[in-house]
């Protein structure tokens, strides 16, 4: 992947210059109904360009190839070409799908990621991962491709409900746990922060450094998946119920279960496991999850289809200490089920 600039809380004159240098024949902004209402007016006011607007439905359950087809059809209707520009204004779903649509339309056109949620600012917009969910599996179809740039405006965070901020905060905590012990000490000593610019910049720095070292996830980039093997399986399972989990809540649950598993394997000390999980439980008091034995088996089976697996083995990225994470640790279904129960995250209702 090519390197690309990440602009954090810069003057919009910079964004206008970026667009001017591209010389696009058309500029379109991809939004959902939420970012159309709360974020698009600010962007349009700051841009010196007339923009077309493509609107899609919000939410993970619309992160599908069918929605991408709607984006492609809108691009065709707007007479967009490979010399056009798409600005993805929204959270991770918008960024993933918009980037995927732009990268494949006419074999590729320029796009800018303009994240509006904490989750997308610190995680989804950086790293070049694009795609959609398929067959009830998270991000199964996609590609790696770089945006022209990432435009981060933390003022958009003021439009978010607290639960969305908490969802993004899980990725902030993840970054500190895998790579920055000092940040974890600072964050875990208090309640969730209220000022974000410095924290967003630090987290983007962590992710960008990992991605630069391993752009195509052949090795150490896998540490960014800490909490996600279990978390994605949980998120996919509950997406089909009346009580879906926000991504960050699912990742927080995933971190707690994977910490239990890591401690059971002798990788993470019991003291650090308890310290981490106690703080996570204070921010995300959404457990225990009441599941049947059949549902637990279904969730664990989802983990066998994780993209990071190899040779039919479930491979996880597990903490070894605060600030240190390993990857490609082979685990069994039995070990995962045991950790689900002993962590207190799951209560069997059979």
């Amino acid at each position: 992947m090519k390197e690309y600039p990440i602009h954090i809380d810069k003057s919009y004159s910079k964004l206008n210059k970026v667009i001017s240098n591209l010389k696009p024949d058309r500029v379109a902004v991809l939004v959902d109904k939420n970012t159309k209402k709360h974020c698009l007016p600010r962007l349009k006011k700051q841009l010196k360009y007339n923009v077309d607007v493509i609107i899609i439905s919000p939410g993970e359950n619309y992160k599908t190839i069918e929605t991408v087809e709607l984006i492609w059809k809108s691009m065709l209707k707007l007479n967009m070409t490979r010399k056009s520009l798409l600005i993805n204004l929204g959270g991770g779903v918008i960024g993933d799908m918009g980037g995927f649509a732009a990268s494949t339309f006419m074999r590729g056109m320029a796009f800018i990621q303009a994240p509006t949620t904490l989750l997308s600012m610190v995680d989804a917009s950086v790293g070049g991962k694009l795609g959609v969910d398929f067959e009830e599996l998270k991000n199964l179809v996609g590609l790696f491709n770089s945006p022209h740039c990432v435009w981060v405006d933390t003022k958009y965070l003021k439009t978010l409900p607290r639960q969305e901020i908490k969802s993004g905060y899980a990725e902030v905590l993840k970054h500190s746990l895998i790579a920055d012990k000092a940040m974890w000490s600072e964050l875990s000593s208090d309640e969730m922060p209220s000022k974000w610019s410095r924290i967003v910049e630090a987290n983007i720095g962590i992710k960008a450094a990992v991605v630069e070292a391993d752009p195509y996830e052949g090795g150490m980039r896998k540490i960014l998946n800490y909490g996600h093997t279990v978390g994605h399986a949980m998120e996919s399972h509950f997406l089909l119920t009346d009580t879906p989990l926000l991504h960050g809540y699912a990742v927080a649950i995933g971190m707690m279960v994977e910490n239990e598993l890591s401690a059971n394997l002798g990788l993470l000390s019991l003291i650090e496991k308890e310290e981490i999980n106690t703080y996570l439980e204070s921010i995300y008091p959404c457990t225990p999850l009441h599941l049947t034995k059949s549902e637990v088996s279904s969730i664990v089976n989802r983990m066998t289809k994780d993209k990071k697996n190899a040779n039919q083995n479930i491979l996880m990225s597990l903490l070894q200490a605060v600030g240190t994470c390993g990857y490609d640790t082979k685990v069994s279904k039995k070990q995962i089920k045991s950790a689900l129960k002993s962590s207190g995250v799951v209560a069997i209702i059979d």
Side-chain angles (χ1 to χ4, degrees):
M1 291 186 298
K2 66 180 179 68
E3 294 185 7
Y4 50 91
I6 301 170
H7 305 288
I8 304 172
D9 289 336
K10 303 290 188 186
S11 166
Y12 272 82
S13 62
K14 177 67 175 178
L15 181 58
N16 282 307
K17 185 175 181 180
V18 167
I19 296 172
S20 175
N21 289 340
L22 272 172
K23 298 181 173 60
D25 55 14
R26 297 193 80 90
V27 180
V29 182
L30 179 67
V31 295
D32 61 28
K33 69 176 183 181
N34 295 322
T35 53
K36 179 189 176 186
K37 177 180 179 181
H38 298 293
C39 304
L40 183 61
R42 174 173 171 80
L43 181 66
K44 290 180 73 173
K45 182 178 179 181
Q46 301 289 341
L47 290 182
K48 295 181 179 179
Y49 295 85
N50 293 322
V51 296
D52 298 301
V53 179
I54 301 172
I55 306 171
I56 60 174
S57 298
E60 185 75 27
N61 53 325
Y62 289 101
K63 190 179 177 183
T64 64
I65 196 68
E66 288 80 14
T67 303
V68 173
E69 287 180 5
L70 293 176
I71 298 171
W72 287 329
K73 288 176 182 178
S74 296
M75 290 174 167
L76 276 175
K77 189 177 292 187
L78 293 170
N79 295 315
M80 296 181 75
T81 73
R82 64 174 58 180
K83 293 184 178 180
S84 301
L85 170 67
L86 182 67
I87 301 175
N88 300 314
L89 183 68
V93 172
I94 288 280
D96 281 5
M97 281 200 300
F100 181 75
S103 298
T104 49
F105 185 78
M106 294 192 177
R107 295 200 176 101
M109 56 183 281
F111 64 97
I112 291 173
Q113 301 291 44
T116 61
T117 65
L118 181 59
L119 178 62
S120 58
M121 288 179 187
V122 302
D123 186 55
S125 66
V126 179
K129 283 185 176 181
L130 311 166
V132 296
D133 302 341
F134 185 71
E135 291 294 309
E136 301 172 8
L137 294 169
K138 287 272 295 180
N139 303 320
L140 189 69
V141 177
L143 50 84
F144 290 96
N145 193 30
S146 298
H148 187 74
C149 73
V150 177
W151 184 262
V152 178
D153 181 350
T154 58
K155 287 185 173 63
Y156 288 130
L157 296 179
K158 295 178 181 179
T159 69
L160 297 177
R162 183 172 174 80
Q163 65 175 5
E164 288 287 349
I165 293 289
K166 287 176 71 173
S167 182
Y169 188 50
E171 295 286 357
V172 171
L173 294 172
K174 180 203 77 177
H175 286 146
S176 70
L177 285 166
I178 64 173
D180 195 327
K181 186 174 182 178
M183 183 190 293
W184 166 256
S185 296
E186 175 188 344
L187 294 173
S188 62
S189 65
D190 205 348
E191 296 180 356
M192 193 171 64
S194 57
K195 296 182 179 179
W196 293 106
S197 185
R198 177 179 64 86
I199 291 172
V200 166
E201 185 169 4
N203 274 262
I204 287 176
I206 290 171
K207 180 160 188 184
V210 173
V211 170
E212 183 178 353
D214 179 20
Y216 297 106
E217 205 171 35
M220 72 168 290
R221 179 170 176 167
K222 295 175 186 178
I223 68 174
L224 295 169
N225 292 299
Y226 161 60
H228 285 64
T229 301
V230 173
H232 276 169
M234 288 286 189
E235 185 180 3
S236 294
H237 173 80
F238 282 94
L239 189 64
L240 303 175
T241 72
D242 295 330
T243 55
L245 288 172
L246 289 173
H247 175 74
Y249 284 69
V251 168
I253 290 168
M255 288 190 285
M256 286 187 268
V257 174
E258 292 179 20
N259 290 343
E260 183 76 11
L261 181 57
S262 185
N264 291 347
L265 294 172
L267 300 174
L268 181 67
S269 74
L270 292 174
I271 292 175
E272 286 197 312
K273 182 206 78 173
E274 288 300 324
E275 172 199 331
I276 298 165
N277 284 10
T278 297
Y279 183 72
L280 290 172
E281 287 168 359
S282 73
I283 303 294
Y284 305 95
C286 52
T287 59
L289 303 170
H290 292 84
L291 299 169
T292 65
K293 289 181 180 179
S294 175
E295 287 176 313
V296 170
S297 292
S298 175
I299 288 169
V300 174
N301 284 336
R302 287 179 186 275
M303 298 179 207
T304 66
K305 297 179 175 63
D306 191 281
K307 298 182 295 300
K308 300 176 296 299
N309 295 340
N311 300 320
Q312 298 184 331
N313 294 313
I314 300 175
L315 302 177
M316 285 193 182
S317 300
L318 298 176
L319 278 192
Q320 299 169 351
V322 173
T324 304
C325 187
Y327 59 87
D328 285 347
T329 300
K330 186 167 69 173
V331 297
S332 67
K333 290 183 180 181
K334 183 177 179 180
Q335 289 169 325
I336 297 170
K337 288 180 180 180
S338 176
L340 283 166
K341 296 173 185 176
S342 62
S343 66
V345 166
V346 169
I348 305 295
I349 58 175
D350 275 355

